[in-house]
Amino acid sequence: MRKPLIAGNWKMHGSTASAIELADTLGSCRHLFEGADMVVFPPAVYIQHVAEQLVKNNIAVGGQTVSEHAKGAYTGEISAGMLKDLGCSYVLVGHSERRALYVETSQSVAEKFKAAQENKLTPILCVGESLLERQQDKTFAVINSQIAAVIDLVGLEAVCNGVVAYEPVWAIGTGQVASPEQAQEVHATIRKQLGEGGSTTRLLYGGSVKSSNAAALFSQPDIDGGLVGGASLEAEEFLKIAQLTL
Ligand code: PGA
């Protein structure tokens, strides 16, 4: 049995006050989704405040990205050890916005995955195809190669110990959600690629998840929860989505 996981990616939104308020509300409602794990990814500068509110309520906190390096002259970067030090237990690696806007390659994503695990952070490896790639029938090839790059570096077992989030790029922040069947088809393929060890790996769907579409997505056999962007900034909406994982 895989325990559902609901993840909230706050991206570059909020302030100290709004981050603490959101964390406070989620923490005080922990009893509503006891059967699921929750992790939120605040902007790095708010991680410590949010972790202080949430970790005691058994809600995890993570970084939105991480450096592949342990330390050194990398201006602006944050290491996995530093995230751990702030109270993080998860980190997103390879989010499509990082791949597209900050030119993260599959190789550097694999190195970030490795750095995370070496520091006892659970990486959530984000994969997904663009609209053009889907139209050209390249969805499975793209996702397969994004995952294979990480397997090549850290091995299959290490990838199975992480979390994989399937996020079709065309569904992120667009309001255009993959159908439950489309998502399930990709999730099943990912699980197959992970082999026997993948039977316990949590696979999340992300891309315009809302309380209105979450139930149908989460009822699919290979979808173990969601990675939620915009809708995770509204406590009430995010709590509804969390409950739908159960
Ligand atoms: P969205 O973002 O829910 O706003 O589409 C998802 C994500 O980028 O993780």
Side-chain angles (χ1 to χ4, degrees):
M1 245 329 250
R2 297 180 296 266
K3 192 173 183 188
L5 173 63
I6 184 73
N9 177 9
W10 296 0
K11 307 194 182 183
M12 198 171 77
H13 292 290
S15 61
T16 306
S18 71
I20 290 176
E21 192 187 331
L22 184 48
D24 226 11
T25 310
L26 297 177
S28 64
C29 294
R30 185 64 179 100
H31 59 283
L32 296 177
F33 51 95
E34 254 169 24
D37 287 334
M38 177 182 277
V39 53
V40 296
F41 296 91
V45 290
Y46 304 133
I47 286 174
Q48 194 166 8
H49 292 295
V50 171
E52 277 166 15
Q53 304 281 315
L54 288 187
V55 174
K56 59 176 186 271
N57 289 306
N58 194 24
I59 295 177
V61 179
Q64 296 177 10
T65 182
V66 66
S67 172
E68 55 269 55
H69 304 289
K71 62 177 178 179
Y74 302 103
T75 301
E77 291 290 277
I78 298 174
S79 73
M82 291 169 182
L83 290 177
K84 187 78 192 166
D85 193 25
L86 282 183
C88 289
S89 47
Y90 284 83
V91 65
L92 297 177
V93 296
H95 188 282
S96 68
E97 286 152 17
R98 302 290 318 173
R99 291 183 195 256
L101 304 174
Y102 301 96
V103 204
E104 288 185 4
T105 62
S106 281
Q107 182 59 35
S108 68
V109 170
E111 284 164 14
K112 288 169 193 284
F113 189 102
K114 183 166 185 258
Q117 282 186 329
E118 282 172 352
N119 286 277
K120 310 256 178 303
L121 295 171
T122 300
I124 299 186
L125 170 64
C126 304
V127 299
E129 81 289 2
S130 67
L131 183 59
L132 186 65
E133 287 162 343
R134 178 161 279 268
Q135 286 166 343
Q136 292 176 339
D137 240 356
K138 292 184 183 156
T139 299
F140 297 105
V142 167
I143 288 156
N144 186 279
S145 82
Q146 288 173 339
I147 295 174
V150 186
I151 294 174
D152 284 349
L153 186 71
V154 301
L156 188 57
E157 195 185 332
V159 174
C160 291
N161 288 336
V163 175
V164 180
Y166 167 54
E167 297 203 300
V169 178
W170 48 270
I172 295 179
T174 59
Q176 214 190 326
V177 63
S179 71
E181 296 73 25
Q182 279 175 325
Q184 166 59 24
E185 193 185 17
V186 175
H187 280 233
T189 309
I190 293 172
R191 204 175 296 288
K192 203 164 151 210
Q193 184 179 2
L194 297 181
E196 219 174 288
S199 63
T200 54
T201 307
R202 292 190 285 190
L203 305 183
L204 310 182
Y205 169 80
S208 297
V209 174
K210 297 184 178 56
S211 60
S212 56
N213 56 34
L217 288 160
F218 299 161
S219 66
Q220 298 298 314
D222 287 299
I223 300 184
D224 306 312
L227 176 53
V228 185
S232 72
L233 295 167
E234 303 279 339
E236 202 184 319
E237 174 70 357
F238 189 52
L239 286 165
K240 270 193 213 162
I241 297 171
Q243 288 173 280
L244 291 168
T245 64
L246 301 173

